[in-house]
Amino acid sequence: IEEARIGMCGVGNRTLRAREAEEVLRGERPTADLYERAGRKAAGESDPIDDARGTIPYKRDLVRLLVARTLEKAVVRTEGGVK
């Protein structure tokens, strides 16, 4: 992975960029473990609030899961991507 950008909406008081998660990806070979590590890092960078839609831990776990899934899909969509 040469370059990556991860934007997150709805898990902070504004749109956030998961810069630390992007760094986890840079220069690495795409793997499921890498996506999971980046997802965990992005979850830690999120700043959700407790509300009627869910608790802070729930929303952070959702960030982790969705970032990992999205990274997998993004790599598959790129030319020569791998699953």
Side-chain angles (χ1 to χ4, degrees):
I1 299 173
E2 292 179 25
E3 199 64 38
R5 298 282 187 271
I6 300 171
M8 304 182 291
C9 298
V11 290
N13 62 356
R14 58 182 168 71
T15 300
L16 302 173
R17 187 157 154 208
R19 294 179 191 273
E20 293 177 19
E22 294 169 359
E23 275 303 311
V24 166
L25 298 167
R26 201 164 287 118
E28 297 293 330
R29 181 163 173 73
T31 65
D33 179 62
L34 179 66
Y35 308 147
E36 179 63 28
R37 286 189 288 135
R40 285 193 309 267
K41 187 63 81 168
E45 293 181 84
S46 68
D47 188 25
I49 60 169
D50 276 313
D51 62 14
R53 294 180 200 120
T55 64
I56 291 171
Y58 170 78
K59 290 178 182 180
R60 284 202 171 125
D61 193 50
L62 197 55
V63 168
R64 178 196 57 79
L65 178 67
L66 293 176
V67 166
R69 283 184 185 174
T70 301
L71 288 168
E72 180 179 5
K73 287 181 181 186
V75 169
V76 168
R77 288 181 181 178
T78 62
E79 187 173 292
V82 294
K83 280 192 173 184

